[in-house]
Amino acid sequence: MNKACIECKGSCCKSIVFDFGEINEDTKRWILFHSVRWSDRFEFACPCRMLVKGKCLTYEHRPMICKVFEVGSLDCIKAVEKYAKEPLRVKSLFKDN
């Protein structure tokens, strides 16, 4: 695990962001009632139960969606800005990857 992730304490594990593409109007209304819109995508606040005190209990066996999440990506930066206690410190560590 890199330094930014250790300092961040799982900001990316506090919600999930989806791009639903083409959806019908009724489904779109349900999504809007249950999420926060990020331009063309939607964020659902659903913290991972495996994140305990800022550490992943199943890090070695985490799902693929977690493994491919790119540290320092736009989604990572948004999560850090929203959930990290010290977002500027975390972002300063991205270059250390």
Coordinates of all heavy atoms in Angstrom, one line a residue:
M1 N 0.9 -1.2 0.0 CA 0.0 0.0 0.0 C 0.9 1.2 0.0 O 1.9 1.3 0.7 CB -0.9 0.0 1.2 CG -1.9 1.1 1.2 SD -3.0 1.1 2.6 CE -4.0 -0.4 2.4
N2 N 0.5 2.2 -0.8 CA 1.4 3.4 -0.9 C 1.1 4.4 0.3 O 0.1 4.3 1.0 CB 1.2 4.1 -2.3 CG -0.1 4.6 -2.5 OD1 -0.6 5.4 -1.7 ND2 -0.8 4.3 -3.6
K3 N 2.0 5.4 0.4 CA 1.9 6.4 1.5 C 0.6 7.2 1.5 O 0.0 7.5 2.5 CB 3.1 7.3 1.5 CG 4.4 6.7 1.8 CD 5.5 7.7 1.6 CE 6.9 7.0 1.8 NZ 8.0 8.0 1.6
A4 N 0.1 7.6 0.3 CA -1.1 8.4 0.2 C -2.3 7.6 0.7 O -3.1 8.1 1.4 CB -1.3 8.8 -1.3
C5 N -2.4 6.3 0.4 CA -3.5 5.5 0.8 C -3.5 5.3 2.3 O -4.5 5.3 3.0 CB -3.5 4.1 0.1 SG -3.9 4.2 -1.6
I6 N -2.3 5.1 2.9 CA -2.2 4.9 4.3 C -2.6 6.2 5.1 O -3.4 6.1 6.0 CB -0.7 4.6 4.7 CG1 -0.4 3.2 4.2 CG2 -0.5 4.6 6.2 CD1 1.1 2.8 4.2
E7 N -2.2 7.4 4.6 CA -2.6 8.6 5.2 C -4.1 9.0 5.0 O -4.7 9.5 5.8 CB -1.7 9.8 4.6 CG -1.9 11.1 5.2 CD -1.4 11.2 6.6 OE1 -0.4 10.5 7.0 OE2 -1.9 12.0 7.4
C8 N -4.6 8.6 3.8 CA -6.0 8.9 3.5 C -7.0 8.1 4.3 O -8.0 8.7 4.7 CB -6.2 8.5 2.0 SG -7.9 8.7 1.4
K9 N -6.7 6.9 4.7 CA -7.5 6.1 5.5 C -8.8 5.7 4.9 O -9.9 5.6 5.5 CB -7.8 6.7 6.9 CG -6.5 6.9 7.7 CD -6.7 7.3 9.1 CE -5.5 7.6 9.9 NZ -4.3 6.8 9.7
G10 N -8.8 5.4 3.6 CA -10.0 4.8 2.9 C -11.0 5.8 2.4 O -12.2 5.4 2.4
S11 N -10.7 7.0 2.0 CA -11.7 7.9 1.4 C -12.5 7.2 0.3 O -13.7 7.4 0.1 CB -11.1 9.2 0.9 OG -10.6 9.9 2.0
C12 N -11.8 6.4 -0.5 CA -12.4 5.8 -1.7 C -13.4 4.7 -1.3 O -14.2 4.2 -2.0 CB -11.4 5.2 -2.7 SG -10.3 4.0 -1.9
C13 N -13.3 4.3 0.0 CA -14.2 3.2 0.5 C -15.5 3.7 1.2 O -16.2 2.9 1.7 CB -13.4 2.4 1.5 SG -11.9 1.7 0.9
K14 N -15.6 5.0 1.2 CA -16.8 5.6 1.9 C -18.0 5.8 1.0 O -19.1 6.1 1.4 CB -16.4 6.9 2.5 CG -15.1 6.7 3.4 CD -15.2 7.4 4.7 CE -14.1 6.9 5.6 NZ -13.2 7.9 5.9
S15 N -17.8 5.6 -0.3 CA -18.9 5.7 -1.3 C -18.5 5.0 -2.6 O -17.4 4.6 -2.7 CB -19.2 7.2 -1.6 OG -18.2 7.8 -2.3
I16 N -19.4 4.9 -3.5 CA -19.1 4.3 -4.8 C -19.7 5.2 -5.9 O -20.8 5.8 -5.7 CB -19.6 2.9 -4.9 CG1 -19.0 2.2 -6.2 CG2 -21.1 2.8 -4.8 CD1 -19.0 0.7 -6.1
V17 N -19.0 5.3 -7.0 CA -19.5 6.2 -8.1 C -19.8 5.3 -9.3 O -18.9 4.5 -9.7 CB -18.4 7.2 -8.4 CG1 -18.8 8.1 -9.6 CG2 -18.1 8.1 -7.2
F18 N -20.9 5.5 -9.9 CA -21.3 4.7 -11.1 C -21.7 5.7 -12.3 O -22.2 6.7 -12.1 CB -22.6 3.9 -10.8 CG -22.4 2.8 -9.9 CD1 -22.8 2.8 -8.6 CD2 -21.8 1.6 -10.4 CE1 -22.7 1.7 -7.8 CE2 -21.7 0.5 -9.5 CZ -22.1 0.6 -8.2
D19 N -21.4 5.1 -13.5 CA -21.9 5.7 -14.7 C -22.9 4.8 -15.2 O -22.6 3.6 -15.6 CB -20.7 5.9 -15.7 CG -21.2 6.4 -17.1 OD1 -22.4 6.6 -17.2 OD2 -20.3 6.5 -17.9
F20 N -24.2 5.2 -15.2 CA -25.3 4.3 -15.6 C -25.6 4.3 -17.1 O -26.4 3.5 -17.6 CB -26.5 4.6 -14.8 CG -26.5 4.2 -13.4 CD1 -26.1 5.2 -12.4 CD2 -26.7 2.9 -13.0 CE1 -26.1 4.8 -11.1 CE2 -26.6 2.5 -11.7 CZ -26.3 3.5 -10.7
G21 N -24.9 5.2 -17.8 CA -25.2 5.2 -19.3 C -26.7 5.6 -19.6 O -27.3 6.4 -18.9
E22 N -27.2 4.9 -20.5 CA -28.6 5.1 -20.9 C -29.5 4.4 -19.9 O -29.5 3.2 -19.7 CB -28.9 4.5 -22.3 CG -28.0 5.2 -23.3 CD -28.7 6.3 -24.1 OE1 -29.9 6.3 -24.1 OE2 -28.0 7.1 -24.7
I23 N -30.4 5.1 -19.2 CA -31.4 4.6 -18.3 C -32.7 5.2 -18.5 O -32.8 6.3 -19.0 CB -30.9 4.7 -16.8 CG1 -30.6 6.2 -16.5 CG2 -29.7 3.9 -16.5 CD1 -30.3 6.5 -15.1
N24 N -33.8 4.5 -18.1 CA -35.1 5.1 -18.3 C -35.4 6.1 -17.3 O -34.7 6.2 -16.3 CB -36.2 4.0 -18.3 CG -36.3 3.3 -16.9 OD1 -36.4 4.0 -15.9 ND2 -36.4 2.0 -16.9
E25 N -36.4 7.0 -17.5 CA -36.7 8.1 -16.6 C -37.0 7.7 -15.2 O -36.6 8.4 -14.3 CB -37.8 9.0 -17.2 CG -37.4 9.8 -18.4 CD -36.2 10.7 -18.2 OE1 -36.2 11.4 -17.2 OE2 -35.2 10.7 -18.9
D26 N -37.8 6.6 -15.0 CA -38.2 6.2 -13.7 C -36.9 5.8 -12.9 O -36.8 6.2 -11.7 CB -39.2 5.1 -13.7 CG -39.8 4.8 -12.4 OD1 -40.3 5.7 -11.8 OD2 -39.7 3.6 -11.9
T27 N -36.0 5.0 -13.5 CA -34.8 4.6 -12.8 C -33.9 5.8 -12.5 O -33.3 5.9 -11.5 CB -34.0 3.6 -13.7 OG1 -34.9 2.5 -14.0 CG2 -32.7 3.1 -13.0
K28 N -33.9 6.8 -13.5 CA -33.1 8.0 -13.3 C -33.6 8.8 -12.0 O -32.8 9.2 -11.2 CB -33.2 8.9 -14.5 CG -32.3 10.1 -14.5 CD -32.4 11.0 -15.7 CE -31.8 10.3 -16.9 NZ -31.8 11.2 -18.1
R29 N -34.9 8.8 -11.9 CA -35.5 9.5 -10.7 C -35.1 8.8 -9.4 O -34.7 9.5 -8.4 CB -37.0 9.6 -10.8 CG -37.5 10.7 -11.7 CD -39.0 11.0 -11.7 NE -39.7 10.4 -10.5 CZ -40.7 9.5 -10.6 NH1 -41.1 9.0 -11.8 NH2 -41.3 9.1 -9.5
W30 N -35.1 7.5 -9.4 CA -34.7 6.7 -8.2 C -33.3 7.0 -7.9 O -32.9 7.3 -6.7 CB -34.9 5.2 -8.4 CG -34.6 4.4 -7.2 CD1 -35.5 4.1 -6.2 CD2 -33.3 3.9 -6.8 NE1 -34.8 3.4 -5.2 CE2 -33.5 3.3 -5.6 CE3 -32.1 4.0 -7.4 CZ2 -32.5 2.6 -4.9 CZ3 -31.0 3.3 -6.7 CH2 -31.2 2.7 -5.5
I31 N -32.4 7.0 -8.9 CA -31.0 7.2 -8.7 C -30.8 8.6 -8.1 O -30.0 8.8 -7.2 CB -30.2 7.0 -10.0 CG1 -30.2 5.5 -10.4 CG2 -28.8 7.6 -9.9 CD1 -29.7 5.3 -11.8
L32 N -31.5 9.6 -8.7 CA -31.3 11.0 -8.2 C -31.8 11.2 -6.8 O -31.2 12.0 -6.0 CB -32.1 12.0 -9.1 CG -31.5 12.2 -10.5 CD1 -32.4 13.0 -11.4 CD2 -30.1 12.8 -10.4
F33 N -32.8 10.4 -6.3 CA -33.2 10.5 -5.0 C -32.2 9.8 -4.0 O -32.2 10.2 -2.8 CB -34.6 9.8 -4.8 CG -35.7 10.4 -5.5 CD1 -36.9 9.7 -5.8 CD2 -35.7 11.7 -5.9 CE1 -37.9 10.3 -6.4 CE2 -36.8 12.3 -6.5 CZ -37.9 11.6 -6.8
H34 N -31.4 8.9 -4.4 CA -30.5 8.2 -3.6 C -29.0 8.5 -3.7 O -28.2 7.8 -3.2 CB -30.7 6.7 -3.8 CG -32.1 6.2 -3.4 ND1 -33.1 6.3 -4.2 CD2 -32.5 5.7 -2.2 CE1 -34.2 5.8 -3.6 NE2 -33.8 5.4 -2.4
S35 N -28.7 9.5 -4.5 CA -27.3 9.7 -4.8 C -27.0 11.2 -4.9 O -27.8 12.0 -4.9 CB -26.9 9.0 -6.2 OG -27.6 9.6 -7.2
V36 N -25.7 11.4 -5.1 CA -25.2 12.8 -5.4 C -24.7 12.7 -6.8 O -23.9 11.8 -7.2 CB -24.1 13.2 -4.4 CG1 -23.5 14.5 -4.8 CG2 -24.6 13.2 -3.0
R37 N -25.0 13.7 -7.7 CA -24.6 13.7 -9.1 C -23.2 14.3 -9.2 O -22.9 15.4 -8.7 CB -25.6 14.4 -9.9 CG -25.3 14.3 -11.4 CD -26.4 14.8 -12.2 NE -26.1 14.5 -13.6 CZ -27.0 13.9 -14.4 NH1 -28.2 13.6 -14.0 NH2 -26.6 13.6 -15.6
W38 N -22.3 13.6 -9.9 CA -21.0 14.1 -10.3 C -21.0 14.2 -11.8 O -20.7 13.3 -12.5 CB -19.9 13.1 -10.0 CG -19.5 13.0 -8.6 CD1 -20.2 13.5 -7.5 CD2 -18.4 12.3 -8.1 NE1 -19.5 13.1 -6.3 CE2 -18.4 12.4 -6.7 CE3 -17.4 11.6 -8.7 CZ2 -17.4 11.8 -5.9 CZ3 -16.4 11.1 -7.9 CH2 -16.4 11.2 -6.5
S39 N -21.4 15.4 -12.4 CA -21.6 15.6 -13.8 C -22.3 14.5 -14.5 O -23.5 14.4 -14.5 CB -20.2 15.9 -14.5 OG -19.3 14.9 -14.4
D40 N -21.6 13.5 -15.1 CA -22.2 12.4 -15.8 C -22.3 11.1 -15.0 O -22.7 10.1 -15.5 CB -21.4 12.2 -17.1 CG -20.0 11.7 -16.8 OD1 -19.5 12.1 -15.8 OD2 -19.4 11.1 -17.7
R41 N -22.0 11.2 -13.7 CA -22.0 9.9 -12.9 C -22.7 10.2 -11.6 O -23.0 11.4 -11.3 CB -20.6 9.5 -12.7 CG -19.9 9.0 -14.0 CD -18.5 8.6 -13.8 NE -17.7 9.7 -13.3 CZ -16.6 9.6 -12.7 NH1 -16.0 8.4 -12.6 NH2 -15.9 10.6 -12.3
F42 N -22.9 9.2 -10.8 CA -23.7 9.3 -9.6 C -22.9 8.7 -8.4 O -22.3 7.6 -8.6 CB -25.0 8.6 -9.7 CG -25.9 9.2 -10.8 CD1 -25.8 8.7 -12.1 CD2 -26.7 10.2 -10.5 CE1 -26.5 9.2 -13.1 CE2 -27.5 10.8 -11.5 CZ -27.4 10.3 -12.8
E43 N -22.9 9.3 -7.3 CA -22.2 8.8 -6.1 C -23.2 8.3 -5.1 O -24.2 9.1 -4.8 CB -21.3 9.9 -5.5 CG -20.7 9.4 -4.2 CD -20.0 10.5 -3.4 OE1 -20.3 11.7 -3.6 OE2 -19.3 10.2 -2.5
F44 N -23.0 7.1 -4.6 CA -23.9 6.6 -3.5 C -23.0 6.5 -2.2 O -22.0 5.9 -2.3 CB -24.4 5.2 -3.9 CG -25.4 5.2 -5.0 CD1 -24.9 5.2 -6.3 CD2 -26.7 5.3 -4.8 CE1 -25.8 5.2 -7.4 CE2 -27.6 5.3 -5.8 CZ -27.2 5.3 -7.1
A45 N -23.5 7.1 -1.1 CA -22.8 6.9 0.1 C -23.1 5.6 0.7 O -24.2 5.3 1.1 CB -23.3 8.0 1.1
C46 N -22.1 4.7 0.6 CA -22.3 3.3 1.1 C -21.0 2.8 1.6 O -20.2 2.1 0.9 CB -22.9 2.4 0.1 SG -22.0 2.4 -1.5
P47 N -20.6 3.2 2.8 CA -19.2 2.9 3.3 C -19.0 1.3 3.3 O -19.9 0.6 3.6 CB -19.2 3.4 4.7 CG -20.4 4.2 4.9 CD -21.4 3.9 3.8
C48 N -17.8 0.9 3.0 CA -17.5 -0.5 2.9 C -17.4 -1.0 4.4 O -16.7 -0.4 5.2 CB -16.1 -0.7 2.2 SG -15.6 -2.4 2.2
R49 N -18.0 -2.1 4.6 CA -18.0 -2.7 6.0 C -16.6 -3.3 6.3 O -16.3 -3.6 7.5 CB -19.0 -3.8 6.1 CG -20.4 -3.3 6.0 CD -21.4 -4.4 6.3 NE -21.1 -5.6 5.6 CZ -22.0 -6.2 4.7 NH1 -23.2 -5.8 4.6 NH2 -21.6 -7.3 4.1
M50 N -15.8 -3.5 5.3 CA -14.4 -4.0 5.5 C -13.4 -2.9 5.9 O -12.3 -3.2 6.3 CB -13.9 -4.8 4.3 CG -14.7 -6.0 4.0 SD -14.6 -7.3 5.2 CE -16.3 -7.3 5.9
L51 N -13.8 -1.7 5.9 CA -13.0 -0.6 6.3 C -13.2 -0.3 7.8 O -14.3 0.1 8.2 CB -13.3 0.7 5.5 CG -12.4 1.9 5.8 CD1 -11.0 1.6 5.3 CD2 -13.0 3.2 5.1
V52 N -12.2 -0.6 8.6 CA -12.3 -0.4 10.0 C -11.1 0.4 10.5 O -10.0 0.0 10.3 CB -12.3 -1.8 10.7 CG1 -12.3 -1.6 12.3 CG2 -13.5 -2.6 10.3
K53 N -11.4 1.5 11.1 CA -10.4 2.4 11.6 C -9.4 2.8 10.5 O -8.2 2.9 10.8 CB -9.7 1.9 12.9 CG -10.6 1.7 14.0 CD -9.9 1.2 15.3 CE -10.9 1.0 16.4 NZ -10.3 0.5 17.6
G54 N -9.9 3.0 9.3 CA -9.1 3.5 8.2 C -8.3 2.4 7.6 O -7.4 2.7 6.7
K55 N -8.5 1.1 7.9 CA -7.8 0.0 7.3 C -8.7 -1.0 6.7 O -9.8 -1.3 7.3 CB -6.9 -0.7 8.4 CG -5.8 0.2 8.9 CD -4.9 -0.6 9.8 CE -3.7 0.3 10.3 NZ -2.8 -0.3 11.1
C56 N -8.3 -1.5 5.6 CA -9.1 -2.6 4.9 C -8.8 -3.9 5.6 O -7.6 -4.4 5.6 CB -8.7 -2.6 3.4 SG -9.6 -3.9 2.5
L57 N -9.8 -4.6 6.0 CA -9.7 -5.9 6.7 C -9.4 -7.0 5.7 O -8.9 -8.1 6.1 CB -10.9 -6.3 7.5 CG -11.3 -5.3 8.6 CD1 -12.6 -5.8 9.3 CD2 -10.1 -5.2 9.6
T58 N -9.7 -6.7 4.4 CA -9.5 -7.8 3.4 C -8.6 -7.3 2.3 O -8.7 -7.7 1.1 CB -10.8 -8.2 2.8 OG1 -11.4 -7.1 2.2 CG2 -11.7 -8.8 3.9
Y59 N -7.6 -6.4 2.6 CA -6.8 -5.8 1.6 C -6.2 -6.8 0.6 O -6.2 -6.6 -0.6 CB -5.7 -4.9 2.2 CG -4.9 -4.2 1.2 CD1 -5.4 -3.0 0.7 CD2 -3.7 -4.6 0.7 CE1 -4.7 -2.2 -0.3 CE2 -3.0 -3.9 -0.3 CZ -3.5 -2.7 -0.7 OH -2.8 -2.0 -1.7
E60 N -5.6 -7.9 1.0 CA -5.0 -8.8 0.2 C -6.0 -9.5 -0.7 O -5.6 -10.1 -1.8 CB -4.2 -9.9 1.0 CG -3.0 -9.3 1.7 CD -2.0 -8.6 0.8 OE1 -1.7 -9.2 -0.3 OE2 -1.5 -7.5 1.1
H61 N -7.2 -9.6 -0.3 CA -8.3 -10.3 -1.1 C -9.4 -9.4 -1.5 O -10.5 -9.9 -1.7 CB -8.8 -11.5 -0.2 CG -7.7 -12.4 0.2 ND1 -7.1 -13.3 -0.6 CD2 -7.1 -12.6 1.4 CE1 -6.1 -13.9 0.0 NE2 -6.2 -13.5 1.3
R62 N -9.1 -8.1 -1.6 CA -10.2 -7.1 -1.9 C -10.7 -7.4 -3.4 O -10.0 -7.9 -4.2 CB -9.7 -5.7 -1.7 CG -8.6 -5.3 -2.7 CD -7.8 -4.0 -2.2 NE -6.9 -3.5 -3.1 CZ -5.6 -4.0 -3.3 NH1 -5.2 -5.1 -2.6 NH2 -4.8 -3.5 -4.2
P63 N -11.9 -6.9 -3.6 CA -12.5 -7.0 -5.0 C -11.7 -6.3 -6.1 O -11.0 -5.4 -5.8 CB -13.9 -6.4 -4.8 CG -14.2 -6.4 -3.4 CD -12.8 -6.3 -2.7
M64 N -11.9 -6.7 -7.3 CA -11.2 -6.1 -8.4 C -11.4 -4.6 -8.5 O -10.5 -3.9 -8.9 CB -11.5 -6.9 -9.7 CG -10.7 -6.4 -10.9 SD -8.9 -6.6 -10.7 CE -8.7 -8.3 -10.6
I65 N -12.7 -4.2 -8.3 CA -13.0 -2.8 -8.4 C -12.1 -2.0 -7.5 O -11.7 -0.8 -7.8 CB -14.5 -2.5 -8.1 CG1 -14.9 -1.1 -8.5 CG2 -14.8 -2.8 -6.7 CD1 -16.4 -0.8 -8.5
C66 N -11.7 -2.5 -6.3 CA -10.8 -1.8 -5.4 C -9.4 -1.9 -5.9 O -8.6 -0.9 -5.8 CB -10.9 -2.5 -4.0 SG -12.5 -2.5 -3.3
K67 N -9.0 -3.0 -6.5 CA -7.6 -3.2 -7.0 C -7.3 -2.3 -8.1 O -6.2 -1.8 -8.3 CB -7.4 -4.6 -7.4 CG -7.3 -5.6 -6.2 CD -7.1 -7.0 -6.7 CE -7.1 -8.0 -5.5 NZ -7.0 -9.4 -6.0
V68 N -8.3 -2.0 -9.0 CA -8.0 -1.2 -10.2 C -8.3 0.3 -9.9 O -8.0 1.1 -10.8 CB -8.9 -1.6 -11.4 CG1 -8.5 -3.1 -11.8 CG2 -10.3 -1.5 -11.2
F69 N -8.8 0.7 -8.8 CA -9.0 2.1 -8.4 C -7.6 2.8 -8.5 O -6.7 2.4 -7.7 CB -9.7 2.3 -7.1 CG -10.1 3.7 -6.8 CD1 -11.4 4.1 -7.3 CD2 -9.4 4.5 -6.1 CE1 -11.8 5.4 -7.0 CE2 -9.8 5.8 -5.8 CZ -11.0 6.2 -6.3
E70 N -7.5 3.8 -9.3 CA -6.2 4.5 -9.5 C -5.9 5.6 -8.5 O -6.7 6.6 -8.4 CB -6.1 5.0 -10.9 CG -4.8 5.5 -11.3 CD -4.7 6.0 -12.7 OE1 -5.6 5.6 -13.5 OE2 -3.9 6.9 -13.0
V71 N -4.9 5.4 -7.7 CA -4.5 6.5 -6.7 C -4.1 7.7 -7.5 O -3.3 7.7 -8.5 CB -3.3 6.0 -5.9 CG1 -2.8 7.1 -4.9 CG2 -3.7 4.7 -5.1
G72 N -4.6 8.8 -7.1 CA -4.3 10.1 -7.7 C -5.2 10.4 -8.9 O -5.1 11.5 -9.5
S73 N -6.2 9.5 -9.3 CA -7.1 9.8 -10.4 C -8.1 10.8 -10.0 O -8.2 11.2 -8.8 CB -7.8 8.5 -10.7 OG -8.7 8.1 -9.7
L74 N -8.9 11.3 -10.9 CA -9.9 12.3 -10.6 C -10.9 11.8 -9.5 O -11.2 12.5 -8.6 CB -10.7 12.7 -11.9 CG -11.8 13.7 -11.7 CD1 -11.2 15.0 -11.2 CD2 -12.4 14.0 -13.1
D75 N -11.3 10.5 -9.6 CA -12.2 9.9 -8.6 C -11.6 9.9 -7.3 O -12.2 10.2 -6.2 CB -12.7 8.5 -9.0 CG -13.7 8.6 -10.1 OD1 -14.3 9.6 -10.4 OD2 -13.9 7.5 -10.8
C76 N -10.3 9.6 -7.2 CA -9.5 9.5 -6.0 C -9.4 10.9 -5.4 O -9.7 11.1 -4.2 CB -8.1 9.0 -6.3 SG -7.0 9.0 -4.8
I77 N -9.1 11.9 -6.2 CA -9.0 13.3 -5.7 C -10.3 13.8 -5.1 O -10.4 14.4 -4.0 CB -8.5 14.2 -6.8 CG1 -7.0 13.9 -7.1 CG2 -8.6 15.7 -6.4 CD1 -6.5 14.5 -8.4
K78 N -11.4 13.5 -5.8 CA -12.7 13.9 -5.3 C -13.1 13.2 -4.0 O -13.6 13.9 -3.1 CB -13.8 13.6 -6.4 CG -13.8 14.5 -7.5 CD -14.9 14.1 -8.5 CE -15.0 15.1 -9.6 NZ -16.2 14.9 -10.5
A79 N -12.8 11.9 -3.9 CA -13.0 11.2 -2.6 C -12.2 11.8 -1.5 O -12.7 12.0 -0.4 CB -12.7 9.7 -2.8
V80 N -10.9 12.1 -1.7 CA -10.0 12.6 -0.7 C -10.5 14.0 -0.3 O -10.6 14.3 0.9 CB -8.6 12.7 -1.3 CG1 -7.7 13.6 -0.4 CG2 -7.9 11.3 -1.4
E81 N -10.9 14.8 -1.3 CA -11.4 16.2 -0.9 C -12.7 16.1 -0.1 O -12.9 17.0 0.8 CB -11.6 17.0 -2.2 CG -10.3 17.4 -2.8 CD -10.5 18.1 -4.2 OE1 -11.6 18.0 -4.8 OE2 -9.5 18.6 -4.7
K82 N -13.5 15.1 -0.3 CA -14.7 15.0 0.4 C -14.6 14.3 1.8 O -15.2 14.7 2.7 CB -15.7 14.2 -0.4 CG -17.1 14.2 0.1 CD -18.1 13.6 -0.9 CE -19.5 13.8 -0.3 NZ -20.5 13.3 -1.3
Y83 N -13.8 13.3 1.9 CA -13.7 12.5 3.1 C -12.5 12.5 3.9 O -12.5 12.2 5.1 CB -14.0 11.0 2.7 CG -15.4 10.8 2.1 CD1 -15.5 10.5 0.8 CD2 -16.5 10.9 2.9 CE1 -16.8 10.3 0.2 CE2 -17.8 10.7 2.4 CZ -17.9 10.4 1.0 OH -19.2 10.2 0.5
A84 N -11.3 12.8 3.4 CA -10.1 12.8 4.1 C -10.0 13.9 5.2 O -10.5 15.0 4.9 CB -8.9 12.8 3.2
K85 N -9.4 13.6 6.3 CA -9.3 14.6 7.4 C -8.3 15.7 7.0 O -8.4 16.8 7.3 CB -8.9 13.9 8.7 CG -10.0 13.1 9.3 CD -9.6 12.5 10.6 CE -10.8 11.7 11.1 NZ -10.6 11.1 12.4
E86 N -7.2 15.3 6.3 CA -6.2 16.2 5.8 C -6.0 16.1 4.3 O -5.0 15.5 3.9 CB -4.9 16.0 6.6 CG -5.0 16.3 8.1 CD -3.6 16.1 8.7 OE1 -2.7 16.8 8.3 OE2 -3.6 15.3 9.7
P87 N -6.9 16.6 3.5 CA -6.9 16.3 2.0 C -5.6 16.9 1.4 O -5.1 16.3 0.5 CB -8.1 17.0 1.5 CG -8.7 17.8 2.6 CD -8.1 17.3 3.9
L88 N -5.1 18.1 1.8 CA -3.9 18.6 1.2 C -2.7 17.7 1.4 O -1.9 17.5 0.6 CB -3.7 20.0 1.7 CG -4.7 21.1 1.3 CD1 -4.4 22.4 1.9 CD2 -4.8 21.2 -0.3
R89 N -2.6 17.2 2.6 CA -1.5 16.3 3.0 C -1.5 15.0 2.1 O -0.5 14.6 1.6 CB -1.5 16.0 4.4 CG -0.4 14.9 4.8 CD 0.0 15.0 6.3 NE 0.8 13.8 6.7 CZ 2.0 13.5 6.2 NH1 2.5 14.3 5.3 NH2 2.6 12.5 6.6
V90 N -2.7 14.5 2.0 CA -2.9 13.2 1.2 C -2.5 13.5 -0.2 O -1.7 12.8 -0.8 CB -4.3 12.7 1.3 CG1 -4.5 11.5 0.3 CG2 -4.7 12.3 2.7
K91 N -3.0 14.6 -0.8 CA -2.7 14.9 -2.2 C -1.3 15.2 -2.4 O -0.7 14.9 -3.5 CB -3.6 16.1 -2.7 CG -5.1 15.7 -2.8 CD -5.9 16.7 -3.6 CE -6.1 18.0 -2.9 NZ -7.0 18.9 -3.6
S92 N -0.6 15.7 -1.4 CA 0.9 15.9 -1.6 C 1.6 14.6 -1.7 O 2.8 14.6 -2.2 CB 1.4 16.8 -0.4 OG 1.5 16.0 0.8
L93 N 1.1 13.5 -1.2 CA 1.7 12.2 -1.3 C 1.5 11.5 -2.6 O 2.1 10.5 -2.8 CB 1.3 11.4 -0.1 CG 1.6 11.9 1.3 CD1 1.0 11.1 2.4 CD2 3.1 11.9 1.5
F94 N 0.6 12.0 -3.4 CA 0.3 11.3 -4.7 C 1.5 11.1 -5.5 O 1.7 10.1 -6.2 CB -0.8 12.0 -5.5 CG -2.2 11.9 -4.9 CD1 -3.1 12.8 -5.3 CD2 -2.5 10.8 -4.1 CE1 -4.4 12.8 -4.8 CE2 -3.8 10.8 -3.6 CZ -4.7 11.7 -3.9
K95 N 2.4 12.1 -5.5 CA 3.6 12.0 -6.4 C 4.6 11.0 -5.9 O 5.5 10.6 -6.6 CB 4.2 13.4 -6.5 CG 4.7 13.9 -5.1 CD 5.4 15.3 -5.3 CE 5.9 15.8 -4.0 NZ 4.9 16.5 -3.2
D96 N 4.4 10.5 -4.6 CA 5.4 9.5 -4.1 C 5.0 8.1 -4.5 O 5.7 7.2 -4.0 CB 5.4 9.6 -2.5 CG 5.9 10.9 -2.0 OD1 6.6 11.6 -2.8 OD2 5.7 11.3 -0.9
N97 N 4.0 7.9 -5.3 CA 3.6 6.5 -5.7 C 4.7 5.9 -6.4 O 5.3 6.3 -7.3 CB 2.3 6.6 -6.6 CG 1.1 6.8 -5.7 OD1 1.1 6.5 -4.6 ND2 0.1 7.4 -6.3

